Amino acid sequence: MLYREAGQFKTSYAKDLAIFPIRQDRWFIALVLIFFGLVVPLIANDYWLKSILIPLLVSSLAAIGLNILTGYAGQLSLGTAGFMAVGAFAAYNFNIRVPELPLIVDFILAGLCAALVGMVFGLPSLRIKGFYLAVATLAAQFFIEWVLTHFGWFTNYSSSGVISAPPMKMFGFAVESAVEKYLLTLGVVLVMALAAKNMVRSSAGRAWMAVRDKDISAEVIGIPLMKTKLTAFGVSSFYCGVAGALWTYCYLGTVEPAAFDLARSFLILFMIIIGGVGSILGSFLGAAFIGLLPIFLNNMAATIGHGTLQADTMANLEHVIFGGLIIFFLIVEPHGLARLWQIAKEKLRLWPFPY
Amino acid sequence: MTFFFEVLIGGLLAGVMYSLVALGFVMIFKASGVFNFAQGALVLFAALTFVGFMEKGLPFWVAMAVTLAVMMGSAILIERFVLRPLVNQPPITLFMATIGLSFLLEGLGQGLWGSQVRALDIGIEDLPFDVLGMTFSKFDFFAAGCAALLVGALVLFFNKTRVGLALRAVADDHQAALAVGIPLQFVWAVVWAVAGLVALVAGLLWGSRLGVQFSLSLVALKALPVLILGGFTSIAGAIVGGLIIGASEKLAEVFIGPYFGGAIENWFPYMLALAFLLIRPQGLFGEKIIERV
Amino acid sequence: MTKTIGDVILRCDNISLSFGGVRALSDISIDVREHEILAIIGPNGAGKSSMLNVINGVYHPQEGTVTWKGQTRRAMKPHESAESGIARTFQNIALFKGMSTLDNIMTGRYTKMRRNLLWQALYWGPARKEEIEHREVCERVIDFLQIESIRKTPVGRLPYGLQKRVELGRALAAQPELLLLDEPMAGMNVEEKEDMCRFILDVNDEFGTTIVLIEHDMGVVMDISDRVAVLDYGRKIADGVPDQVRTNPEVIRAYLGAGH
Amino acid sequence: MSQGGAPLLVINNIEVIYDHVILVLKGVSLTVPEGGIVALLGANGAGKTTTLKAVSNLLRAERGEVTKGSIEYKGQRIDRLTPNDLVKLGVVQVMEGRHCFEHLTVEENLLTGAHTRKDGRAAVARDLEMVYGYFPRLKERRKSQAGYTSGGEQQMTAIGRALLAAPKMILLDEPSMGLAPQLVEEIFTIVDALNKKEKVSFLLAEQNTNVALRFADYGYILENGRVVLDGEAQALRENEDVKEFYLGLSSQGRKSFRDTKHYRRRKRWLA
Amino acid sequence: AWAQANEQFVPMPIYRTGPYAAGGTGVFGAFMDYLALINERDGGLNGVKFTWEECETAYDNARGVECYERLKGKGPTGAAMFHPLSTGITYSVFEKGAVDKVPVVSIGYGRGDAMDGRVFPYLFPLITTYWSQNTAKIKYIGMKEGGMDKLKGKKLANIYHDSAYGKETIDILNKQAAMYGFEVKHFPVAHPGLDQKAVWLQIKQMAPDWVILRGWGVMNPTALKEAQRVNFPREKIVGVWWSGSEEDVRPAGAAAKGYVAAGFHPAGKNFPVIKDVEKFVYGKKKGNVEAERVGTIYYNRGIIHGIVSVEAMRVAQEKFGKKPLTGEQIAWGLENLNITAERIKALGAEGLLQPLKTSCLDHEGGGAVKFQQWDGDKWVIVTDWIEADKKLVRPLAEESAAKYAKEKNITPRTCN
Ligand SMILES: Nc1ncnc2c1ncn2[C@@H]1O[C@H](COP(=O)(O)OP(=O)(O)OP(=O)(O)O)[C@@H](O)[C@H]1O
Ligand SMILES: Nc1ncnc2c1ncn2[C@@H]1O[C@H](COP(=O)(O)OP(=O)(O)OP(=O)(O)O)[C@@H](O)[C@H]1O
Ligand SMILES: [Mg+2]
Ligand SMILES: [Mg+2]
């Protein structure tokens, strides 16, 4: 009986429009935020911050981006990493070529560049649909990778095509340590996640979903398909672009275009499908699942597997388990972890009655 | 000019190799509307299994038969444990499931047979011979022959058996197909088994060119533009698409590539296919996407 | 009945439409007058739905013109027709399956919402105010259609009849001048049809909305429409007040059958 | 129950849950006798479609589950069979909302119905002609892709497709939806003919109560996942509530849709 | 178990899956074998036993970083050093290494300019870099042509994997072309390089005298096959060492016969150290790769990783005491290596390893390569050690390192 909205009446539409209309949810979210914003920086070590949490947050951001495009607007895309690359290299170039600009402006500009590129590659979506579009977005993926490898200007003529993020400064403070980078990432991701949530629950989001669910009737209602799809591509790529910049600046430090290869695009796609297509929360859950599972399995292998199984077999077993779990979760809940979470909440709400 | 034709013909022959992989995709898409991401993994798995048995000392044809049996067994398992529980789910979910499957197959294949690189010799010479100043390889013509045979058999299979119609029905609407009594489980098992056979043929041909190793699963990337160009549902499309992609990709790389620093082969076919799609959104031979209110 | 039927507000002249070999509409002219309820009836495949599709621009006829709000043209763009005050429902429900009832109805307000994406991302101040304003309009529609209890339910889970009602809600939310309804009562039982008729009549009375409606239930058609047009395999065979049409021998032969 | 004929299909107290949480049928029992036409009536969302899908085992594809009770056909439990087995046993469902195979032509759609048949091409061809006989409009459009045919044409295709399976029992979900009045009448005449001549039994979910009760032998009224009333079709037609709520007749005879009131008499069975 | 005090921890960021698994398993497997040998035969390095832990990177940069972070702090004194075995991962972790004081060792890959230890104190491209290797290759070609002056007017084609790794030598090749008056054309091959028909047709058109192959993984056998198809003589193809393992040529079958590749060590089991590994490690069933692979190119490369790493720790122990050491201390060892011919002999690696002497200025040390030719069945050494053209390489490296230092605001250390 703990989780019930009983007694919480909404007296205005404004209240009903709150992100978390149920009080318990608000508490829960507040706790989560306090945990990740205050507790984690105090207790987590470098390993957790640098190689688990930061990439996790950045991937979540990219996943939110892809979710806007694929989950909300229904345009399946396999070019995510390409747009991340645009963001990463744009941020780098703004940073070194116009050093006067504050870093946060670089990030925003990076996002905008990615958005622009995204919109260009989004143009075919007006005619091409479904898996055809998905494969067509691969054109973006490969083309962007190629451009960045082949035109030295983008990498400031580094002989190997690798760029290395200059030291970061944010509002006059140097962002160097793991905690600082983590907090920067967390801040950006939270603000952008909130903005995404806001967009998807207002008219832009509804237009995206309408186009996703039934584009003809969306058009008949007066939703211009072109504008809607292109904004979806733009916003989505903006998110991916910022994610790419963060990936470079806060996580890897140095990247080559190949860091944003097709495999990364796929990983992000996995994240949203496992997490929940059309769910902001799902983007985080999916990123956690896809990002952490292999690491977890690998750690398990390192601790348990040593000696019991041949190392080769262990490594491949990780793949088998990873693949198996993806299938398992899809069967349990095709709508992803976010849906599972929702069902759990629904059950909790009804508890102790089964239905 | 000779050089142009040499590139052109070489490209066409390369295209046939792409088609071989694309065919597997088409089979499964036709039958279930599933975009089978695991086709590349199937190719790898089939080739690994085959080489594995060869190394165990089985003669060529026996190894072939055993591998085929393994592929069929896998088809049945895949149907039972992956597809059946996901019937009537949206295509993207099934697509994802096949991605899971590809991880599983890659892990399983390499776990069972090891991840070292193996040579595969199917007894067809890969030596060049000259015609009118152009150099070709026998192997390529052999591959083209195999592809032609395979396509012939598949076309017969689809057009002359009841399964063909059932497949197309299933691809349109799982639930309605169930309702009219189409045995979905059987149909899917059959199709996956056929896709397994296609994968085996592709695996042997590609494997004898590249060696049997993980990278075999990446040949799928070559098949995707072929697929969208030809249309997801058309066997003929897979072939024609392959030829077009193969030829234009090579011509572009040789004659346009140098102006841009080369290596345009990765994106060029996709861009080309994209351009085609703008004219025909369902690919050259694909089924028209029906939109009605 | 105090309502006065006004002038012709929509005029379709000599519309012809064919798909490949199939001639769906041949040389059809239909007028729609302000405030009236016009029913279109006819056997299956007669071209009724195609006619609606032509009116709001989903199909582009090969010949003929549509005149709406003083503009005469061959074909409209669907979203232009929506912006100029035409809303519709579909024969095969075309709701947005992944969204809740409320969100579906809110999409009906799309053309009326002005705040840009940045405001929406902030969801604060004017954007929030706008959202609330439109929400109020939608809530009125929801009240009116008595679907309060399913406000937050994803429409995909709703039974057929309710989906039809939500679809009507979505169209109403746009506060259209002309409402096109394609078999709004198919698959409903009498009780639900009564409700639906009530809604349609109320919309027509209270807001003065002009309605064009396709329906197969002759009871409904005869009772609520002001005028009936009959199509038969692409041709218009009759047009007039219900009683006139009901007794027209050609209509009886082509559509009603002896039973009526 | 006073139904004639041996029970062919017996549904015993079934409960259906969607998605593990949504309880839709809360104990539904009904019987279809051999050679009978049984109508399943009820408002939107009462659970008619769900009941039919429970029988044809299509629920699983919708993430629904029969959690209690049993379903027997000819005395044999069928809850575990696949839809394909059921069709082979002669139980075919015509799904609500048509569900034609969009990319197949009308004729191909019809032929898919014959997928399970083993009695040869000639027999199938004969039945195909029979269906064209019933629905001449389909013959005209046989070469069109079903996705492009009109709503009514699709409905005919769906029904025809089921007929081609040469079924013993048809689960008909809202056959009259979207059909012109003439055709509705025709379809029920066909149902009647099949029932009389070929001894096909029907379980029929219908909103058009009027016609349904005219042709059915027996009827069940479903509300909120429960059977609230059942009886001979004749008796149901006389029932006050049924008259008011399902037939649109009040004590003064048929009332106009224009004059329906905003308030209603309470349904007696809810009291 | 690493909590015990007298142990030195060595991270193993291996890749056992993915397209390059053959390299990952071979090199790291042998590396672990060598450490195991020291533990089993000598009871550790001066009593300090080696421990290690694998972490699967799948050759992915992001996962490589995760492995680095995961393993850098393990063991009583933290990670001794980090061998990324991937140019990409090297780029991603070396800056972190400088901050954490964990030496990053890239033997035969990674940044060419990192040989300048003033700017890269914690990065060690030991033995040889791509740049040095490239100059040796040109020397080899010159030798075959009958003198460096004969290079004038020759045509070279450089086929490279279109990635950071592949592009490393473009600049230096251009420089050398200008120097020696040959013509060089660069042909990128898009990853993964499954089909190279277009490139090879272009090569056929160009008809170069020599082809330089910088492939990786499946790109190598494919290149050799394609060469056969256009009738390009394999003897005229010179590969880098990542194109010169058995795994690179076997799948090409007969097409590979005659192909030449650079190497900083030979294949084969006929070295006392490898005999010892077979005896002490495989004899006790503690081997880390399939026994058949012992003595292959990748395997022997792993042994060299082992020898060099352990020698560095030995040097460091001499200075800091015979106990587990920190990364900082081992970095000193890496910087003060002096593996002489006698020492190599004592190690049982005569002919396997070249003499190596590093310093604060020079983090590379050796720089010589041998050339080997595939005879259809095994690699046969065809040259003696060929020294790199340090006069050319060193200034280039310093220039590039200085540029990097400027970009990053690093003040180079002064070495004395
Ligand atoms: N997009 C299309 N492509 C091809 N044929 C079409 C298309 N739309 C409609 N038709 C055909 O045009 C004719 C008229 O169709 P329409 O949907 O307008 O009929 P209708 O009067 O609404 O029938 P129903 O009452 O059955 O819904 C039908 O024969 C249909 O098959
Ligand atoms: N796939 C599903 N998931 C969740 N709930 C469902 C699903 N399908 C149906 N329901 C719910 O089950 C209930 C019964 O639905 P059902 O379709 O059986 O009603 P019905 O009597 O056939 O109605 P109608 O006359 O509108 O066709 C409805 O409340 C509906 O919301
Ligand atoms: Mg219609
Ligand atoms: Mg129903």
Side-chain angles (χ1 to χ4, degrees), chain C residues 48-49 91 182-183 214, chain D residues 150-151:
Chain C
K48 306 180 293 297
S49 301
Q91 179 172 10
D182 198 345
E183 303 197 14
I214 297 175
Chain D
S150 85

Side-chain angles (χ1 to χ4, degrees), chain C residues 157 160-161, chain D residues 18 24 44-50 62 96 174 207:
Chain C
R157 284 196 204 167
Y160 191 82
Chain D
Y18 281 111
V24 173
N44 283 130
K48 305 180 293 294
T49 303
T50 307
E62 293 219 29
E96 173 182 53
E174 312 234 0
Q207 295 283 19

Side-chain angles (χ1 to χ4, degrees), chain A residues 235-270:
Chain A
V235 173
S236 157
S237 310
F238 181 86
Y239 275 71
C240 294
V242 174
L246 288 175
W247 191 256
T248 309
Y249 276 77
C250 293
Y251 180 41
L252 286 183
T254 44
V255 291
E256 54 178 321
F260 302 102
D261 62 356
L262 185 60
R264 176 119 291 109
S265 287
F266 272 115
L267 277 182
I268 292 173
L269 181 68
F270 301 168

Side-chain angles (χ1 to χ4, degrees), chain B residues 257-279:
Chain B
Y259 298 105
F260 299 101
I264 64 174
E265 258 178 308
N266 264 11
W267 58 264
F268 183 82
Y270 286 96
M271 285 291 192
L272 182 77
L274 194 67
F276 255 95
L277 286 189
L278 289 177
I279 302 161

Side-chain angles (χ1 to χ4, degrees), chain B residues 291-293, chain C residues 17-20 22-25 42-51 53 59 91 182-183 214 216 231 233, chain D residues 98 137 141 144-145 147-154 156 178-180:
Chain B
E291 277 175 345
R292 272 213 58 185
V293 278
Chain C
L17 171 74
S18 48
F19 303 100
V22 184
R23 207 157 166 76
L25 300 170
N44 295 115
K48 306 180 293 297
S49 301
S50 303
M51 195 63 215
N53 284 336
Y59 286 169
Q91 179 172 10
D182 198 345
E183 303 197 14
I214 297 175
H216 283 302
L231 300 189
Y233 298 116
Chain D
R98 305 171 192 121
R137 178 77 184 154
R141 310 278 340 236
S144 316
Q145 282 193 320
Y148 289 120
T149 56
S150 85
E153 289 160 348
Q154 291 186 6
M156 295 182 237
L179 292 187

